[in-house]
Amino acid sequence: MFSKEYFNYLLKSKKYLLLFVFLLTIMNILSNKTVDITLGIECVICFGLAYFLPVYIFSYIHNKKAVDTFFSMPISRKAMLITAIIFIILSCYIPLALATTVFCVSKEIGLTTIVYLSELLVAISAIVVFNTAIYLTANNVLDGVIMICAYTALPLAIYLLCDSLAASYIAGVINVDVPFIGYLSPIYLCIKTVEELMYQGTNWAYTIGLIIILIVFSIILIKAYVNRKVERADTPSDRFFSYPFIIYVYVFICLIMISSANEYNYSTILEFLKDNFIIYVILFAIFIAAHFIYKRKLYFSYKLVAFYVAALIISLIFTSTLKTSQGFGLADRMTKTDAFARYEYTGYTFSDSLVKEYRNKINNDGVIYYVSIYANDYPQYRFTNVELDKQTYDILEKIRLNGKNDFYNYNKRKSSASGTLNVITKEQANYSYQIFETIDYNTLVSLAKDKHVIVRIDTDSGSYRLNANGELVKDY
Amino acid sequence: MLKINNVKKYFGDKEVLKNLNLEINEGSIFGLVGVNGAGKSTLLRCIAGIYKPEEGETLLSGQNTYLNEKIRKDIFFVSDDAYYSLASNINNLKEFYSSYYNIDEEAYQKYLKLFGLDENKQINAFSKGMKRQTLLLFALAIKPKLLLLDEAFDGLDPIVRYNLKKSLYEFIDENKSIIIISSHNLKELEDICDSFGILEDGKIETYGDLLESKQNINKYQVAFKEDVDESVFKQFELLHMSKEGSVYSLVIKGDKENIINKLNELNPLILDTLSVNFEELFIYEHEGGDK
């Protein structure tokens, strides 16, 4: 399983590179920086090596001439792989372990240092095994590097897609919280592990995620390497999980993103397609260009057009379904709560009643008033463990639900948004709605009657608070 | 003994080796010939354990060369276009090979001197011929039981070719190994090989002792008083036939005396017998195969 001979050869042949990394580590440790910065720099070096070394050490597998030399050697493929992987892991880990030990000693972290060192070993191992497995999906060096970049960025692309879909189709959602996506990204988990070490906390979920990645990708890697058809070296990377998968997944993500970014603004799909035709043509050109990189020649077939059209239709059906089902019902499911803990409304109002009521009193000719409502919430203090009056709650909930309905009825909106209503649940989940209706004088007075509500009106001449009697009081 | 049993190898949908069978005994220098793209290099890579055959097996001393890495200690493959890492020299290569093989230092020094190679010079600065000699140096110093040489004589000047042939003779005499050489240079192979195999359409169509095979195929020149019906030659295993004036040139496979007797029965005016060389043997076998 492990070849001492091959390990020694790697050690001898890569001695200058290892020496360079070691010197870099020593210089980093001895420099007059804080231990936090030292550890941060060392992480960048070692994670960078975890990307570079698999490409460098396994470059022979993508070279027709080199496979003859390496695979005719009297060493089993499994031993060759495992030895090289151990060599890469140690090359990345030893400098990082050194910097971590210095960090832990200076911060007087006792025995927990061993836990952190173990976590970092798992993190480095996972990222090396993951990158190597991805590199081997390709058949040449350039494609291998492209695959590593594409797979590293894929969880981020999925996250951005979820974020875009949530913002477009789930009323009230500001940013989507999908923690599982982070667990698809070894580099994200590695960074989180280092953060844990820096802030001296422990979150075993990250380590467990890395262990799962390590085990799964080790199995995939060993199987792929042992059964690899070396005669495919230096040929187009047509394995399913190489270009075909990556190109189609990214194109599909882009198509859904385009639909989600614009589609809700249109009443008919045809109108939407007409206005976005040029974007779709550009994406199709990128799709063809990606095939050019994949096949190393201009490639065009009816299958590509068919896939693109099918993916476009599916993306439109998907986003339309999201729209009609109000984000698959998530808009209601996510905000389902007995009562929100806090409300905060800020916005301009053009309410005639408000203007009429206060124009003389505040001696201001301005017609635009900036209104803030803080229900159970105020910058200077926060009410805790109190319940809003039912009337207050009903008024604010009505405003929120109107905001939610306006979100899904873009074409029925009468004006542009005048304000934003933020609501916070007892679990501190935050939702935000754009409010299109104007809040009139009577509503503001009704709200001001609740002692847990503060209504502030800002004008050019100063800030005022509305009291329970509907009178304006100068607010300082 | 090297035994190849029912080896099949595909490149995508293309079947490159089709149920290939072959046996080569120790102490033999085997010339592997075939047209371009016949699968010679693929066969050598399957034997070396680089390529995994889809079916069948290649056995050296009864051990599978793909599955058993220990047996690969007894095999050395010299590819037609070898890989040398950037900035490496012969010393680095020695370091690399000595990790896996036992290098005979005496043989190493002897061939290093014979080939006139500089141990400290970067291999990438070598000419194609010198690069080839570099690998041959290790092949001969490692002394494997099975030496596989792909396009061995390509890019070598006459003196180096002579030195190589001489070294291979010595090597086979000393070690009783098996050497398989694939080459397009059939004249060189004829000088050095004692057995041969013609790879055609993914199979070894003809193989055996080179001398015997050459004796078994002869060129006959016959002329007749009057034109003869060419169908009279159908009784022979005819590999090639041409006619210039009234003289027929016939390349016939089979027992020479028997064929001469049969041709004499046709009352020829002239009957001459010429022997064929390896190149002609390959061409006529190839033509015969095409028929």
Side-chain angles (χ1 to χ4, degrees):
Chain A
M1 292 285 268
F2 177 80
S3 166
K4 204 174 127 194
E5 293 85 4
Y6 186 48
F7 190 84
N8 286 339
Y9 163 72
L10 286 171
L11 214 53
K12 279 181 198 166
S13 61
K14 314 296 178 224
K15 57 180 177 278
Y16 294 116
L17 175 74
L18 296 179
L19 197 65
F20 175 71
V21 174
F22 185 72
L23 285 176
L24 219 59
T25 303
I26 296 296
M27 279 163 61
N28 182 28
I29 291 171
L30 296 179
S31 63
N32 280 333
K33 292 187 292 282
T34 64
V35 280
D36 297 66
I37 295 172
T38 303
L39 183 61
I41 292 172
E42 204 53 42
C43 284
V44 172
I45 295 170
C46 294
F47 290 157
L49 270 181
Y51 275 82
F52 169 72
L53 283 180
V55 174
Y56 179 51
I57 302 283
F58 286 99
S59 60
Y60 68 85
I61 210 157
H62 294 320
N63 183 315
K64 261 190 196 310
K65 295 178 192 175
V67 290
D68 284 346
T69 305
F70 282 87
F71 287 102
S72 62
M73 289 289 129
I75 171 174
S76 75
R77 288 189 175 195
K78 207 182 223 178
M80 202 174 199
L81 172 73
I82 290 170
T83 307
I85 290 287
I86 290 172
F87 174 80
I88 297 170
I89 290 170
L90 291 179
S91 303
C92 301
Y93 178 68
I94 290 171
L96 185 60
L98 207 62
T100 305
T101 309
V102 171
F103 176 89
C104 290
V105 168
S106 70
K107 296 263 177 183
E108 293 179 358
I109 299 171
L111 280 173
T112 319
T113 305
I114 296 165
V115 175
Y116 289 141
L117 286 172
S118 312
E119 278 186 345
L120 285 175
L121 181 61
V122 172
I124 286 283
S125 305
I127 204 160
V128 166
V129 168
F130 175 82
N131 285 343
T132 309
I134 297 302
Y135 184 62
L136 295 189
T137 60
N139 288 340
N140 57 70
V141 176
L142 175 68
D143 291 349
V145 173
I146 292 173
M147 285 308 123
I148 290 178
C149 296
Y151 274 98
T152 301
L154 191 57
L156 178 66
I158 295 172
Y159 173 77
L160 291 175
L161 175 69
C162 291
D163 206 40
S164 164
L165 289 175
S168 303
Y169 297 104
I170 308 173
V173 173
I174 312 163
N175 45 37
V176 69
D177 184 23
V178 270
F180 78 91
I181 294 173
Y183 290 92
L184 299 176
S185 169
I187 189 70
Y188 171 82
L189 293 175
C190 284
I191 292 166
K192 284 286 171 192
T193 306
V194 175
E195 270 180 16
E196 240 178 64
L197 163 64
M198 283 183 161
Y199 302 113
Q200 293 165 47
T202 39
N203 184 346
W204 290 105
Y206 298 135
T207 310
I208 290 166
L210 286 165
I211 289 171
I212 292 169
I213 288 174
L214 179 61
I215 292 169
V216 170
F217 279 88
S218 294
I219 294 166
I220 292 171
L221 179 59
I222 290 172
K223 212 174 160 204
Y225 191 86
V226 170
N227 299 320
R228 189 175 182 85
K229 291 194 164 205
V230 295
E231 59 269 28
R232 308 275 321 268
D234 223 0
T235 59
S237 306
D238 54 1
R239 285 184 176 84
F240 176 74
F241 282 107
S242 186
Y243 276 115
F245 178 75
I246 280 297
I247 292 176
Y248 292 145
V249 162
Y250 270 95
V251 163
F252 195 59
I253 287 174
C254 289
L255 284 170
I256 295 179
M257 272 190 165
I258 294 169
S259 313
S260 67
N262 293 306
E263 189 252 345
Y264 65 87
N265 291 350
Y266 294 86
S267 51
T268 67
I269 281 182
L270 276 178
E271 194 189 327
F272 165 73
L273 285 174
K274 201 176 138 194
D275 274 15
N276 289 280
F277 182 73
I278 193 74
I279 297 173
Y280 283 119
V281 171
I282 290 169
L283 184 63
F284 185 70
I286 294 168
F287 180 54
I288 296 296
H291 275 87
F292 173 72
I293 296 169
Y294 158 28
K295 305 250 180 195
R296 305 287 198 274
K297 63 178 182 187
L298 267 179
Y299 176 74
F300 191 85
S301 96
Y302 71 92
K303 283 182 188 167
L304 295 185
V305 182
F307 167 81
Y308 190 77
V309 172
L312 197 158
I313 292 167
I314 292 168
S315 71
L316 288 172
I317 292 171
F318 180 71
T319 49
S320 297
T321 312
L322 263 174
K323 189 178 166 184
T324 48
S325 64
Q326 300 199 342
F328 297 136
L330 285 170
D332 289 324
R333 208 175 304 158
M334 290 171 84
T335 54
K336 201 171 183 182
T337 170
D338 293 338
F340 286 102
R342 300 199 299 275
Y343 288 83
E344 182 186 312
Y345 171 86
T346 51
Y348 290 101
T349 179
F350 297 89
S351 166
D352 287 346
S353 58
L354 187 67
V355 174
K356 200 172 151 188
E357 192 66 32
Y358 295 118
R359 180 173 285 172
N360 296 329
K361 288 181 187 172
I362 57 177
N363 194 23
N364 179 17
D365 292 333
V367 289
I368 296 174
Y369 292 77
Y370 194 71
V371 177
S372 307
I373 304 165
Y374 303 100
N376 256 358
D377 199 358
Y378 193 63
Q380 279 83 9
Y381 63 94
R382 181 164 290 168
F383 303 104
T384 49
N385 301 321
V386 289
E387 291 291 330
L388 295 166
D389 292 347
K390 183 163 187 321
Q391 188 195 7
T392 311
Y393 185 76
D394 288 346
I395 292 168
L396 291 168
E397 266 302 279
K398 195 178 160 224
I399 296 170
R400 184 182 77 83
L401 290 171
N402 284 343
K404 189 199 120 187
N405 291 334
D406 282 339
F407 181 88
Y408 291 110
N409 296 299
Y410 182 83
N411 295 304
K412 291 177 190 165
R413 291 176 199 163
K414 288 173 188 132
S415 60
S416 56
S418 59
T420 308
L421 177 71
N422 290 318
V423 289
I424 297 132
T425 64
K426 284 171 185 163
E427 293 78 31
Q428 300 299 308
N430 205 336
Y431 301 95
S432 182
Y433 299 85
Q434 281 193 307
I435 304 301
F436 292 84
E437 64 183 305
T438 50
I439 301 169
D440 60 20
Y441 168 73
N442 291 334
T443 306
L444 289 175
V445 173
S446 302
L447 286 169
K449 282 179 181 162
D450 188 329
K451 61 181 177 180
H452 297 118
V453 175
I454 292 162
V455 178
R456 255 175 63 138
I457 298 171
D458 292 294
T459 70
D460 292 345
S461 60
S463 296
Y464 299 88
R465 274 172 71 174
L466 197 64
N467 68 16
N469 301 322
E471 293 159 346
L472 284 180
V473 182
K474 193 88 175 163
D475 193 22
Y476 297 100
Chain B
M1 178 192 266
L2 174 71
K3 206 170 175 189
I4 300 171
N5 294 329
N6 304 313
V7 163
K8 277 188 182 180
K9 180 71 197 165
Y10 290 88
F11 281 174
D13 295 335
K14 193 185 170 194
E15 193 176 9
V16 180
L17 301 178
K18 299 172 184 172
N19 244 357
L20 193 143
N21 290 288
L22 185 66
E23 278 184 25
I24 305 172
N25 290 320
E26 276 93 0
S28 177
I29 302 180
F30 184 88
L32 181 64
V33 294
V35 293
N36 285 332
K40 300 185 294 293
S41 299
T42 304
L43 175 59
L44 292 185
R45 284 178 173 89
C46 284
I47 297 169
I50 300 166
Y51 291 175
K52 184 186 181 185
E54 266 74 35
E55 280 180 37
E57 54 185 2
T58 58
L59 305 171
L60 178 67
S61 309
Q63 305 284 318
N64 189 310
T65 60
Y66 181 79
L67 298 172
N68 190 338
E69 67 272 9
K70 282 177 192 156
I71 197 68
R72 288 210 292 274
K73 240 182 160 62
D74 294 328
I75 304 172
F76 195 88
F77 175 62
V78 178
S79 82
D80 53 341
D81 193 5
Y83 164 81
Y84 302 101
S85 62
L86 210 65
S88 67
N89 56 30
I90 292 180
N91 271 328
N92 301 139
L93 215 54
K94 191 179 177 189
E95 216 168 59
F96 175 68
Y97 282 120
S98 57
S99 303
Y100 304 102
Y101 298 101
N102 298 320
I103 294 179
D104 182 332
E105 190 58 32
E106 199 184 320
Y108 172 81
Q109 292 301 340
K110 178 183 152 189
Y111 292 113
L112 186 72
K113 201 175 161 191
L114 183 73
F115 295 145
L117 297 167
D118 182 348
E119 273 183 301
N120 299 309
K121 204 175 166 186
Q122 277 191 21
I123 299 173
N124 280 324
F126 283 178
S127 67
K128 191 182 173 189
M130 286 165 84
K131 282 181 182 170
R132 178 62 52 86
Q133 288 175 75
T134 303
L135 262 198
L136 289 169
L137 158 72
F138 287 103
L140 296 170
I142 284 166
K143 298 187 172 177
K145 277 186 188 170
L146 173 62
L147 177 55
L148 304 165
L149 305 174
D150 195 8
E151 308 289 346
F153 296 100
D154 288 14
L156 302 181
D157 64 48
I159 296 167
V160 177
R161 283 210 301 271
Y162 170 76
N163 282 336
L164 172 62
K165 278 193 269 184
K166 202 175 130 198
S167 309
L168 290 178
Y169 281 135
E170 282 174 14
F171 175 76
I172 207 96
D173 270 352
E174 280 173 24
N175 302 291
K176 299 288 171 232
S177 302
I178 298 168
I179 301 176
I180 302 178
I181 311 174
S182 86
S183 180
H184 291 292
N185 193 335
L186 302 187
K187 281 183 183 135
E188 299 290 353
L189 286 187
E190 189 170 11
D191 289 347
I192 195 168
C193 295
D194 53 38
S195 58
F196 78 104
I198 298 177
L199 187 59
E200 203 175 341
D201 195 26
K203 290 178 187 167
I204 297 278
E205 290 288 355
T206 310
Y207 82 101
D209 186 278
L210 183 58
L211 197 64
E212 258 179 39
S213 296
K214 275 164 59 184
Q215 281 171 351
N216 200 34
I217 295 176
N218 291 286
K219 193 190 272 185
Y220 303 90
Q221 289 187 320
V222 282
F224 299 96
K225 200 174 180 180
E226 290 169 1
D227 274 356
V228 290
D229 181 359
E230 288 178 5
S231 64
V232 296
F233 302 128
K234 278 188 178 168
Q235 60 181 307
F236 305 113
E237 199 178 330
L238 196 63
L239 298 177
H240 175 82
M241 182 174 77
S242 61
K243 191 185 173 194
E244 256 182 58
S246 57
V247 180
Y248 286 92
S249 284
L250 307 168
V251 179
I252 301 171
K253 195 175 186 178
D255 181 60
K256 189 176 166 184
E257 265 186 43
N258 193 16
I259 290 166
I260 290 173
N261 289 338
K262 282 186 177 173
L263 284 170
N264 276 327
E265 284 171 14
L266 299 172
N267 297 318
L269 287 176
I270 311 165
L271 174 58
D272 274 344
T273 311
L274 304 165
S275 57
V276 295
N277 61 28
F278 191 27
E279 195 162 294
E280 287 171 315
L281 183 135
F282 171 65
I283 293 166
Y284 295 135
E285 283 284 2
H286 183 63
E287 277 185 10
D290 285 350
K291 280 175 192 172

